[in-house]
Structures are given as C-alpha cells and as structure tokens.
Amino acid sequence: MLWLTLEFPALGRDAVSADAQTAVIASHGSHRWLITAVLGGAGQLLAAGTSLADARARLPDLLTLPRKPEAEHEALQALAHLLYRFGSPVVAETIGPVEPYAVPRWCVSVEIGASISLFGGIEPLREQLLRTLLDQDSIARHGVAPSRSAAGLFAFAGDTTPCLASSDLRQRLSELPLSTLPLPAKLLQALQAIGLQQLGALFALPRSTLVQRFGRPLSDELDRLLAQRAEPFTAIEPPPVFASRYELHGEIENVETLLFPLKRMTQRFAAYLAARAVTCAQCLLELRHDEGAATRIPLQLLSPSRDAVRWFEVLRERLYRKPPDRPVRELYLRADDFLPLTGSQAALFETHRLSRERQAMLEKLIARYGVGGLWQPTIAADHRPEQAWRAGPLATENSPSKPSTTALPANRARRPLWLLPQPKPIARPTPDDLPERIETGWWDEAPARRDYHRVRLGSRSAWVYRDLDSDRWHLHGLWE
C-alpha cells in the first residue's frame, strides 16, 4: 500500500471561524491552551500549545473561541469526501493524547497505490490534489509513505519527498526528531531522559529492552511505522443523507455575515456529492433562531448539479431577496434526494458548458426575483405577428406543468423575432419576394388586412407590410 496523508494544522480554527487572528483554545481541568497557531496584530506568532495565560500576557486583545470537536469532525469528514476521487480507502482521524497542552493533529489519509497510473504518476496526482485543496481555501502539509502513520509523520515534519518503498522507511524516519511521534508527554520525556532525540536512536534499541521498559504499545507503534504490522482503520463512507450544521458565535442579523458559513457548507455539499458520484437538484436550508421555529428555505435548481459555486450563488441570491426576519443562531443544510450522474452533466463539450451556464444564470434570477417575477414568451394561435405570442409562466424541467403551446407547421413562413413596439410608416419600398397575406381579426376590434414583404432598408434586412385598406407601407420588424 502507498498512503498520502494530509495534515491540516489550522482545521481547529477553520471549523469555527474565518478570522486567522482568532485563537481556538482547548481545556483539560484547569488548563487552557491554544490548539492552533495565531499571528497577532503586532506580528507576534503564538504557537499551538501556548498556554492561554502566556498568550494573554503577550496579546491582551487576543480573541478566543472554545474548541468544538463536532465542528472539527464535520470539517474533517468534508475534506475526506473531497479526496475520494484520488484513491480509496480514505481515512479521517484526529490524532493526539487528551492531556494538558496537547495539540491535536487533524489528518486525512488516502491510499493512492492503485490510482497513481490513472493520474500519470505521483507528481501529477499531488499537483491536482493540492490544487483542489487550494480551491477550498484549505492549508495542509502532506507526506507519502507505505504506512499511514509514517506518511503522517512526514506530513507533520514537512517532508514532502515521497517514500515509495518499505525498505527505505527506517532510513527516512531515522532522521526525524522524537517529538514528531504523537505520544503522551510523559512517555516522550522518559525517552528523551535516556538520551534519545531522534527516531533512529529509538529504532536502534533492542526491542526486548524497549518492551520491558516502556511496554508493548510503543513497540507495536514502531512496527506500524515501519510497515511491519497492520494498521487498523475505519474507512470513510459517505452517509445516505447529507446534513451539515454551522453554529454561529452569537445572533446574526445581516446576510453578509451568513455568507462565510454558507460557502463552507456548500463546499462540503459538493464534496459529498462528488464522493458518492451523484448529483442533486434540491436541498433545504434552515435558519435556526434562539426562539421560535426555524426559517425553512427549500431550494430547487432547474437541473441537477454538484457545483459548489452554483449552489452558493443561488442560496445567496435567495437570502438577499428575503433576508431572515429574526437573528440567526445556526445554519442547517440538508439533502436526501440524489440522482446518478448523467453524461451531459459530466461532459466537457462547449454546448453542455453553455447550457449549464444558462441554467445557472436563470437559477440566480429565480432566486433573486422569485418564479412569479419571471416570464417567458409562449406561442399563441393568431396570424397577426403582434398577437402571435403571450407572456406565460416560466417553464422549467421541474415545473409541475408547462404552459401549453401551439405546434407550428413545418412549412410556416419565416418571421423575425425583433418586432417594433408600434409599426412605423415608411415610403414605398421595393419588395424582394412575394407577399405573405394576412386577413384576420374580423371577430375582434383589431382587424388586419396586410401584405408582408422582406426588403432591404439601407444595410438592414427589414420586414414590412402594405395595409390593404389604406395602401400605406409600414416597417414592422428587423431581421438583423
């Protein structure tokens, strides 16, 4: 096996805040400490693991938020879904002992041994993977090794050179400091107390002596590092229903503040759809409040999509059109009706791309103005050009019923789409073709007796008619 492990050092903060200068703190008993590094306003760097008291002493105005393991788990799951297309299985885990001043490591590992050839080698695979993370605004360190734990150590140490063979693991790992091992602080201190500073020195110890002094778990961990013992794991499997929640820090009244968590949620939704190789046309957004029932915003696209930008823009326009009437405390996005991916949705051809762009624009207009605020022209059974169409309701793929239209005969005369609001009197032109005669409307108050011709007026091709009652000529439409 060959594992690529990504470590996300800022995930603890990204899961709860968009502000890079906000510190996320963990607690254990009376201890409080930072779990992510923070760059203060004065340019001071507070490393992860710094006690809250020391951080406050250096930056009195430091903003802090409590750690939220549930939000971290959901963010890690979304990143795991994002990596499904690069290999399988995918493992998401939070590594680190629960003790004072311990800094967790948020890791996602994907087995890439079977998919390297599909991407044309390990370098193209890594390039596409890192570009995908960049599009998600995610910061990660990565490592590649035959064992998952070794790949995690390389990622933590910032060693991006792939280790492709198990026989090279001992030499490559020997150069790493002992502190890269995710061991309890007391055990690390005990190992360092006997003069061990690098993993190579730890590997050199007789294994029986190591087991006698520090127990079997440490020996087993070293075997797993060297790919000499199986590494148990639980692979990520996307659930049958997508559900994502984002708890806000306080009551939010304006739409602009809701856009950041909404963007994160739509990115997670798109990653989920990609992981399951499905698409979706409808979802439900709930704006939850401290008091009263949640504001429910059902959303239906004109066609299924798994594009995060498309979902986000439609939801944003919907919120701007009808902002929440009460402060929002939590966002909740859910979807449970999925469709298999079709050929047209996955196509790269220009016609399909333009079709998707038109649908995305129409969806934004519907979200901004509502379905009732849009209309489309429909054909009417009338020979008079100005009466041959009506303003009908917008018809979509998901409409319960489309407006009825009148079928056009195959041998119908050609007519321009551009008609003047009112026919304009003109001098007698020289017709280019035989007339199309219209004699109709005798049953209502707008009778028409006309001979229509296509003529050239300067550089334009025009549609004109002669009124048979007055023998006057009028310009009625333009072809170009």
Side-chain angles (χ1 to χ4, degrees):
M1 302 183 79
L2 186 64
W3 291 91
L4 187 150
T5 297
L6 294 160
E7 188 204 351
F8 301 89
L11 185 136
R13 180 184 63 242
D14 294 341
V16 296
S17 175
D19 187 0
Q21 296 183 347
T22 297
V24 178
I25 59 174
S27 61
H28 186 82
S30 60
H31 301 281
R32 302 287 187 276
W33 68 98
L34 278 60
I35 62 169
T36 57
V38 177
L39 182 62
Q44 299 186 55
L45 179 64
L46 302 178
T50 304
S51 68
L52 182 59
D54 291 345
R56 290 287 190 197
R58 296 171 60 183
L59 293 175
D61 298 331
L62 181 66
L63 299 176
T64 62
L65 291 172
R67 179 186 181 186
K68 293 186 176 180
E70 291 184 2
E72 295 170 11
H73 174 75
E74 184 173 336
L76 202 60
Q77 294 280 315
L79 290 168
H81 294 158
L82 192 68
L83 301 182
Y84 246 85
R85 71 185 185 93
F86 295 99
S88 179
V90 179
V91 181
E93 53 190 344
T94 301
I95 305 172
V98 181
E99 60 182 3
Y101 306 114
V103 178
R105 302 179 188 178
W106 299 279
C107 298
V108 176
S109 301
V110 53
E111 207 286 315
I112 61 172
S115 56
I116 288 179
S117 60
L118 298 177
F119 288 86
I122 191 169
E123 291 303 325
L125 185 149
R126 289 200 303 179
E127 182 180 350
Q128 290 192 37
L129 188 148
L130 295 177
R131 188 183 300 117
T132 300
L133 293 177
L134 184 63
D135 293 340
Q136 300 292 318
D137 300 324
S138 296
I139 300 174
R141 298 186 289 240
H142 74 280
V144 179
S147 72
R148 195 175 75 257
S149 52
L153 288 192
F154 288 137
F156 181 74
D159 187 349
T160 60
T161 303
C163 179
L164 304 180
S166 301
S167 57
D168 298 333
L169 271 176
R170 181 181 290 269
Q171 180 182 356
R172 290 285 306 277
L173 290 169
S174 296
E175 303 172 0
L176 298 181
L178 200 65
S179 57
T180 56
L181 287 174
L183 299 177
K186 289 185 178 180
L187 180 55
L188 282 175
Q189 292 170 3
L191 293 171
Q192 292 168 347
I194 62 174
L196 302 178
Q197 298 298 327
Q198 292 182 316
L199 290 180
L202 186 60
F203 293 148
L205 289 178
R207 191 57 62 91
S208 58
T209 302
L210 194 65
V211 172
Q212 184 178 1
R213 295 195 59 177
F214 300 104
R216 175 62 64 178
L218 178 59
S219 176
D220 293 344
E221 178 64 24
L222 296 181
D223 288 339
R224 283 189 286 268
L225 272 176
L226 298 173
Q228 297 173 355
R229 179 180 288 269
E231 295 180 282
F233 61 83
T234 302
I236 293 296
E237 293 186 6
V241 174
F242 174 81
S244 177
R245 58 184 292 271
Y246 195 102
E247 184 178 353
L248 302 168
H249 304 290
E251 297 180 327
I252 303 301
E253 298 184 3
N254 58 81
V255 173
E256 287 77 9
T257 309
L258 299 176
L259 295 183
F260 167 76
L262 188 63
K263 183 177 181 180
R264 285 288 173 88
M265 296 171 79
T266 53
Q267 288 175 342
R268 294 173 184 177
F269 186 33
Y272 169 88
L273 295 173
R276 288 194 57 191
V278 296
T279 186
C280 185
Q282 57 185 358
C283 68
L284 173 66
L285 176 65
E286 288 189 1
L287 309 178
R288 296 178 174 177
H289 317 280
D290 279 340
E291 297 181 359
T295 301
R296 296 168 59 88
I297 303 177
L299 182 70
Q300 182 140 8
L301 301 183
L302 298 180
S303 63
S305 174
R306 57 175 183 172
D307 182 3
V309 175
R310 184 173 169 187
W311 284 102
F312 171 71
E313 290 184 349
V314 174
L315 286 169
R316 179 184 60 186
E317 295 294 342
R318 174 62 178 80
L319 287 176
Y320 275 128
R321 177 168 66 90
K322 191 175 181 180
D325 55 359
R326 289 170 290 162
V328 180
R329 187 68 181 187
E330 180 180 287
L331 296 177
Y332 178 77
L333 185 66
R334 176 185 172 87
D336 55 11
D337 187 8
F338 307 110
L339 300 169
L341 197 63
T342 63
S344 62
Q345 292 162 355
L348 301 178
F349 296 107
E350 185 72 10
T351 54
H352 294 297
R353 184 185 66 83
L354 294 176
S355 176
R356 291 194 297 267
E357 289 178 355
R358 286 192 291 267
Q359 288 179 342
M361 177 59 69
L362 187 57
E363 287 161 355
K364 289 176 64 176
L365 293 174
I366 293 174
R368 180 176 298 181
Y369 301 109
V371 177
L374 301 178
W375 59 271
Q376 72 177 27
T378 59
I379 300 173
D382 199 308
H383 291 286
R384 291 167 292 187
E386 64 273 16
Q387 302 289 341
W389 67 275
R390 302 284 188 272
L394 188 66
T396 67
E397 294 181 7
N398 300 313
S399 300
S401 61
K402 297 184 180 181
S404 59
T405 59
T406 302
L408 294 177
N411 60 347
R412 67 186 185 279
R414 292 188 61 203
R415 294 181 175 182
L417 293 177
W418 187 356
L419 296 179
L420 275 63
Q422 294 292 333
K424 179 181 178 181
I426 59 172
R428 178 187 179 93
T430 301
D432 294 340
D433 56 0
L434 296 176
E436 175 195 353
R437 175 160 294 186
I438 295 178
E439 292 189 68
T440 186
W442 50 266
W443 60 87
D444 58 20
E445 297 180 359
R449 298 181 65 248
R450 308 166 185 168
D451 278 349
Y452 276 90
H453 298 268
R454 182 170 181 170
V455 302
R456 298 292 299 182
L457 295 180
S459 61
R460 310 297 295 273
S461 179
W463 203 44
V464 302
Y465 69 84
R466 179 175 68 92
D467 188 296
L468 298 179
D469 294 328
S470 63
D471 200 31
R472 295 179 179 178
W473 290 80
H474 296 79
L475 172 64
H476 201 177
L478 296 171
W479 291 94
E480 300 173 355

